[in-house]
Each structure stands twice: as C-alpha cells, then as structure tokens.
Amino acid sequence: MQKTTNIDSTKKFTELFSRLSSNSADKQKRTIEEINEMIIEMNEKDSNLIFTKELFDKMDKMIEEKEICLENAFVLLKSIGCWNVLKNVHDYSFRGSSLNQRFKKMIIEEELKKEEKNEKLLVDLFECFILLNFCFPLNSLSICVPCLLKSSSNKEENKEAQTEVEVALLALSGAGYCKLDKELFLDEIKEIIEYHQEHHNLTRIAYQSAWMFLIKRIIFENSLEEIIVNELHFAREARRELEELSKCVDGKRKEGWKGGKETKEELLLMKWIETLLVYFRHCKLWNEDFADLINSLVQVFRIAKDNHREISGECINVLEEAARNRSVTVDDLLRSGAVDVFLEEIHKSTMNDRITIKSLEFIYNISNRLKKEDDERKEAKRKITKRNIYEKMEEEGYEDTIFCFKRMLYFLCMNYEHRMACNVSYYFVNV
C-alpha cells in the first residue's frame, strides 16, 4: 500500500509540475498552491522520490528559458525547504544542482552592486539557499544574517507578514552550526523574542525557530548562556510551549507516529524537543526552572510513549542528555520525575536495546554525580540525595531487575556505548 502511495504521489506531483511551463504567471501561482498543499501531506519516502537533483536542474532550465518567473520559483522552493526543516529531513540533492549554482552567482552579483541592493531579492535567495542547503552561504554572512533578521523583525499582524517572518526564522534555525559575531545577531534576535513574549505576534513555529537559532550559537559563545537562561527565561518559555502542545497529542490513537500522518502540533512538539536536546547538550548554567522544564518533558513522554515512538524516543534522548549536564542537579532529576521514567522503562520486559542503553547510561551518569564530596555540607546533601535515589529504586523493584541486565551489560557496552562502566549495576545494588 505504501509503495502505491509513493507512486501516486510522484505521478500527481509530476503532472502538476509539468503544467507550470505552459501556464501564465497567475495560473502558475494557483498550480503552485496545489503543489504546496501536496507537499504538506508528503512523507519522507515521497520527498526522496520527488525532490531530486533532476527536479532542481529542470527548474533552473525553466528559469533560464523564462518558463517560470523567479517569484513563483521562490515560492515553490521555499515550500520544499520549509518542509525539510519542519520534518527534520536532510536531503542534499539541491547542493549538486545547477539551480544552486545559479543562486550562488545571483547572491554574489547582488552583493557586488555599488548602487542600492535589492533586499527583497537577497532575502528570497538567502532563504532558498539556506532551507535547501541546510547551511549559511559562508562568504555572505555579514549580509545574510542581518538581512534575514530584519525580515524577521516585521511586526505587522497580517497573515502575509507573519508567513514572511516564519520563513525567515525557519531558515535561520535550519542553517546548522556556524560561528557568528554577536554584533550580527544578538540585539535583533533578543528583540524578536522579547517582543513576542509581550505581544505574542509570532507563529508558534517562528517562536521555536528564533530560540533554536539563538541556542545553537552557545557552542561558539558561552556568554549567551546568561542571556538565554536568566534574561530571556528559556526554561520557563519552553515549559509552557511543551505543556500547550502536549494537549494536542492524541495518546490513544491506534496508529503510531510511523503509521499515520503527524499533526502540525506534533511536528512542532518534535521541534521543541530537538531544541531542548541542543540546550541541555551545550548550556552549562543552572536555573531553578530546570526541574519544572524536565517535568514537562516527562509528561510529554508519558502521553506519547504508547503511540508516538518518535516523540517518546526523543524525550528519552533529552532526559539522558540532561543527566549528563552537570548544571542539572540530581535533585532536579529526582523531583521532575525523570528518574521514575528510566526506572519504569528498565523494569519492562519489552525494552529494546537502545532504550536499555539510554536507561543504563542515565543511571551511570547519576552514579558519577553521587560520589563522595570533601566539603561537609555537600557531603551531607549527597547522602540525602543518594538515600532518596536508593529508596526510589527499592520502591520500583530495581535491585531485582538489575540482575537481569548484569549478564548482558558487557555485550551492550561493547556494541552500543563504550563509555559505559561495566560495574554500574554493582554500584547501585550496593549503594
């Protein structure tokens, strides 16, 4: 059935795309609207069959022969690129196409103009380039980033303006990791986030994209942590978004994430979870809101665990990453319910190897955090936390379950996680 669906989708797309070269600009717009509606419904298998180098080469030829106007080509290409970013699909077919080379050349030509530059054209070119290449045009950073941030700062409330802002922020968030001078982006992105916090002018995906763009910069600029954590209150904002979006997830649907079409809210929830993964991986500044944020993630996991394997799996990844993060205290993990999640999962007879190793790694990271302290006050607190952890394990029957894993632990360590210590179970049984 899935194979038939892929064939039908490819055929329908090909038919719609073939109309473009024989239509007027206005008719092209209407056809592109149909194509865009189809793109929204696509899955990754469809995209692999349709969004090929040959397709982008064909579009380049159509632009060259004026069979499609540049404005309409931009609309279609942005739709494809936004779909890639929203569904976290990285298809590099565009990179090797003649259309990519055309856009590179157009960007350079526009930048070299001595007279006033066409900012609208540059924004369109930058957005298409980033959304389809998943990276910034490195030689154009000093123009590209301010240009897109300016487009993102549009405070008009009409739908067209909101869409333009959303696409610009999606492009910025999807560009991957690249070192940028703070002067290129910090004041502008702070203003965008703060203005939304007060006026709620951005779409939900635009707001998430603004955060993702900023948080990715932590890797190159540690001073951003103070702004993200204590000035812009990321943990508080992310918690609210998780709580709102989780209300839209149907935890009882019969079809799992892989089997059915995900909703817009589910896609956005995945994007926020992805943002949290980057956040806990790179942000080392503690905040009192951590436990509440992690608790919200735990609640998302519980809603999604039976029927949304992609969502629940990513929640596990973030929780395990939080345990690695030394700025997240063991008390945070205990109070938030994260410890309960892993103890419940490791107690199941139906666990897969990946969840097993994530659970054991989580426990291993906690064990490293509970080593004896030289400072008397810290040592007293450590003993209390350690006792609370032990009581939780005892309550869940963990010490019985751990022996089931003891014999397979060496195998798992060798095949999945080389950093895992082989005496993890011994440590906890004898805590």
Side-chain angles (χ1 to χ4, degrees), residues 215 228-229 234 275-283 290 293:
I215 288 171
I228 289 168
V229 173
F234 171 75
T275 307
L276 290 178
L277 186 64
V278 179
Y279 177 72
F280 283 118
R281 184 169 290 163
H282 301 294
C283 187
F290 272 172
L293 173 58

Side-chain angles (χ1 to χ4, degrees), residues 96-252:
S97 71
S98 57
L99 185 56
N100 188 30
Q101 296 305 313
R102 174 183 291 274
F103 284 176
K104 283 181 180 179
K105 183 179 177 182
M106 290 176 68
I107 289 171
I108 293 170
E109 288 175 350
E110 194 63 36
E111 288 175 346
L112 290 176
K113 284 183 179 178
K114 293 182 179 179
E115 65 271 21
E116 187 175 346
K117 295 175 175 56
N118 185 337
E119 285 194 11
K120 176 65 171 65
L121 176 60
L122 278 173
V123 166
D124 287 333
L125 287 167
F126 287 142
E127 286 173 350
C128 288
F129 183 92
I130 295 171
L131 288 168
L132 295 166
N133 281 296
F134 316 103
C135 63
F136 287 113
L138 294 179
N139 295 330
S140 304
L141 284 177
S142 62
I143 296 177
C144 171
V145 174
C147 207
L148 291 182
L149 285 170
K150 183 178 179 180
S151 181
S152 304
S153 300
N154 188 343
K155 296 180 175 62
E156 295 179 36
E157 295 184 2
N158 61 73
K159 187 175 180 179
E160 183 179 351
Q162 282 194 325
T163 299
E164 289 178 0
V165 169
E166 183 176 280
V167 173
L169 286 170
L170 266 172
L172 287 166
S173 73
Y177 299 94
C178 177
K179 186 174 183 178
L180 303 173
D181 292 335
K182 285 193 295 184
E183 291 74 16
L184 287 179
F185 68 88
L186 185 54
D187 290 342
E188 290 79 3
I189 198 68
K190 273 185 63 180
E191 183 182 348
I192 289 168
I193 290 173
E194 288 173 335
Y195 188 86
H196 174 77
Q197 289 174 346
E198 184 176 353
H199 300 281
H200 306 287
N201 64 307
L202 298 176
T203 65
R204 301 191 86 157
I205 188 61
Y207 189 48
Q208 180 273 330
S209 298
W211 275 114
M212 181 61 106
F213 166 74
L214 180 57
I215 288 171
K216 282 180 176 179
R217 312 276 79 78
I218 293 178
I219 301 172
F220 306 101
E221 185 57 69
N222 292 337
S223 65
L224 294 176
E225 292 186 18
E226 174 67 30
I227 295 168
I228 289 168
V229 173
N230 293 327
E231 288 188 38
L232 298 176
H233 309 287
F234 171 75
R236 181 193 68 193
E237 295 293 302
R239 185 189 76 231
R240 188 189 64 246
E241 293 293 322
L242 288 181
E243 289 172 354
E244 288 297 316
L245 289 166
S246 64
K247 294 175 185 177
C248 303
V249 175
D250 181 4
K252 297 181 180 180

Side-chain angles (χ1 to χ4, degrees), residues 332-346:
D332 288 333
L333 298 169
L334 193 59
R335 287 189 295 113
S336 67
V339 173
D340 299 79
V341 163
F342 283 95
L343 291 181
E344 290 167 13
E345 288 300 302
I346 208 169

